[in-house]
Amino acid sequence: MDRLVVSASFKYCFKEIKHGKKFSMELAGRTLTVEVGRVAAQANGAAFMHYGDTVVLSTATASDKPRDGIDFFPLSVEYEEKQYAVGKIPGGFLKREARPSENAILTDRVIDRPMRPLFPKDYRNDVLLDNLVMSVDPDCSPELTAMLGSAIATCISDIPFDGPTASTMVGLIDGEFIINPTAAQKEVSEMSLTVASTREKVIMIEAGANEVPEDIMIEAIFKAHEVNKEIIAFIDTIVAECGKEKHEYEHHEIDQEMYEDMVSFITPEAMEEAVFTDEKQVREENIRGIEDKLAERYADNEEWLSQIGEAVYTFQKKTVRKMILKDKKRPDGRDITEIRHLAAEVDCLPRVHGSALFQRGQTQVMTVTTLGSLSEAQRLDGMDQDETSKRYMHHYNFPSYSVGETRPSRGPGRREIGHGALAERALIPVLPTEEEFPYAIRTVSEIMESNGSTSQGSICASSLSLMAAGVPVKAPVAGISVGLVTGDSDDDYLILTDIQGLEDFFGDMDFKVAGTDKGITAIQMDIKIHGLTDQIIREAIARTKEARTYILHDVMNPVIGEARDHVGKYAPKISQYTIDPEKISEVIGKQGKTINAIIDETGVKIDIDESGRVDILSEDQEMIDKAIGIIKSIVEPLNVGDIYEGEVVRIMQFGAFVQVSPNKDGLIHISKLAKDRVEKVEDVVNIGDRVAVKVLEIDKMGRINLKLEEKLS
């Protein structure tokens, strides 16, 4: 049975197939097809997604029973990149996919963020959203396909979920918005925006942009939301045909009698006093004191005793939200639009290439910049065959001591990778090109102290560190996060500038925006509610613009307003020289003998790529110039009449052979050693002598005849 449905803005097609059902719609000029029932029938929900030639299997699976002893929703998201999807065999000894790539981890996070708020808050069953990338069409994003697939698989499953959601990517080329841009369009786009929506509201925003003005970004967000509404209408048809009835689950609620007893015993006034402080450690100590009192009170009631942690959390949350929303009071006493105390400095570490320290309240970040040759760029072995290396790398480390904990370090987690990628995305638009600044660049943000918004602190610290290192950035970049507390209606809300940890923890939104004076370079929005109204989005972006301008002008610029015009004393100096690619083998020499000799003589580092670009690195500019001179002598022909410096390498009865470059020897005939008659060559020169010689002739066979001008040593 085939069925074609046409609406005012889109059309979709439904087909009965041998093993299941197939649904199709046209999305940004390409066909999106969803097959249900063809594969993975034992999952709670499965959508076999086709977007162009991109194929992703998205599944949603839930455990039969809740996990014991937890007070959170255990959702896991996986995005599995298979190299066969792009016709590649994995590198390495094992020849199979190993740990997930950074792109896969970031995709996990971008799928998770719009989905998580729509599951019941008291759902304790394990849920896994798995996305298997099986075929990749470069013009049809597998990441977007997986986002749509996870939403569809969950919606048609029996797992409780208040969806559907839909996601759209937007590019900006020559002032025009491009929906779900192709690979070629992404290369020239001024913006990479991903927006997820429910029917009524935007629920997730992720963006990187080349200083795009706020009004254009807002317009693009709402454009994506309109497209998402069309996709949701398409998903509704799939759910109507294939959706399962949602299963009942074991609700997890605090004993109401216990909660009321706790509130009357502790009192709202005491809880407000406990949380109303700008010192995180003091607040935590106050809460521990409350928990100790409750443990003593409920010592004989094991059931109530086990609920103390969650009950106190709920009591704190209600207290903080009431203080903010109704009383307009923030836990640390700040005004709603007030930013915590800010401080910045550069050159914190003596021998690194660049360093900076940025502090916002109890959030403190030190970023260190390291410069290297372009050969040190990170090699990428992912699904995007056009992106094989990364010249700028930003790494973010969040050690346990930054929050007063003792957890040992086991490498970066998904959160750290995500925060590092956000800062990297924010700074890339202002970095110089390879031609302008031929370095690979790495910044590492070490979180020294944390009380909210460390990712935005790392952007500010990194911008300062790059400028201190002499990286000629186009403009400094600052980041800020605003929060949200909502009431009973869409109009009952309060936006908070510069949220600290407690406000993030108990609030409804973490809206991070980074940019320059000119415009936005990155956005990341996380929320815990069912979406944001247009009004909230506009106000939040306006608030971040105001705060970002203040940070740039009043805090960062007075410390270092623009990049230094030179790299630091301990940073390598780089000079570039381009040679004919056919001459590369001459510079390298047999088994690397020639290039190694240059390195040994000058102490420089030399990188040559297949295009013929030669990068010479050293802390000593004089040695760089010397190495370039040697390379020039190898690749450039000798000119008759010019004078060159060389070394006597062989002596014969009739003259001396001088090496004027590693691949060019010439003969000084005995008659050209001096004006007067020379009886014996050794009377004038010996092996190892440095001499200045003039080229007299280069014969048809390429033999070089020289004349001694001066004995140098």
Side-chain angles (χ1 to χ4, degrees), residues 280-339:
K280 180 181 176 184
Q281 291 85 349
V282 172
R283 183 186 306 113
E284 291 174 347
E285 184 61 34
N286 292 342
I287 297 302
R288 278 194 292 269
I290 289 173
E291 290 175 339
D292 290 343
K293 289 179 182 179
L294 292 171
E296 183 178 346
R297 180 175 178 82
Y298 303 141
D300 297 330
N301 189 329
E302 190 172 323
E303 183 181 348
W304 285 16
L305 194 65
S306 66
Q307 296 184 50
I308 288 175
E310 192 166 356
V312 171
Y313 168 87
T314 302
F315 193 8
Q316 280 190 85
K317 183 174 182 178
K318 288 183 177 181
T319 301
V320 170
R321 292 176 67 88
K322 171 191 171 293
M323 287 166 55
I324 293 172
L325 193 60
K326 304 302 181 186
D327 304 334
K328 306 295 188 293
K329 292 169 60 178
R330 299 178 73 169
D332 57 5
R334 280 183 292 147
D335 183 72
I336 298 303
T337 61
E338 186 179 349
I339 302 174

Side-chain angles (χ1 to χ4, degrees), residues 178-249:
I178 308 298
I179 301 300
N180 296 345
T182 65
Q185 289 170 332
K186 288 177 183 177
E187 286 292 316
V188 297
S189 177
E190 293 296 310
M191 176 173 67
S192 175
L193 170 68
T194 302
V195 177
S197 310
T198 62
R199 294 179 213 282
E200 298 86 12
K201 300 176 183 178
V202 171
I203 198 167
M204 192 279 298
I205 301 170
E206 181 99 7
N210 292 335
E211 301 179 274
V212 170
E214 278 73 8
D215 58 340
I216 294 177
M217 182 65 73
I218 290 170
E219 187 181 351
I221 291 169
F222 296 148
K223 175 71 173 177
H225 182 40
E226 291 303 313
V227 176
N228 283 338
K229 291 179 184 178
E230 298 179 1
I231 299 171
I232 287 172
F234 170 63
I235 296 174
D236 285 340
T237 65
I238 302 175
V239 175
E241 291 284 345
C242 308
K244 301 176 183 177
E245 183 178 350
K246 299 302 182 182
H247 66 234
E248 292 296 323
Y249 67 94

Side-chain angles (χ1 to χ4, degrees), residues 69-82:
I70 62 170
D71 58 0
F72 61 92
F73 168 46
L75 172 66
S76 300
V77 179
E78 298 293 338
Y79 177 80
E80 301 181 63
E81 295 177 319
K82 298 298 183 181

Side-chain angles (χ1 to χ4, degrees), residues 55 92 159 616 620:
V55 179
I159 302 169
I616 304 98
D620 188 339

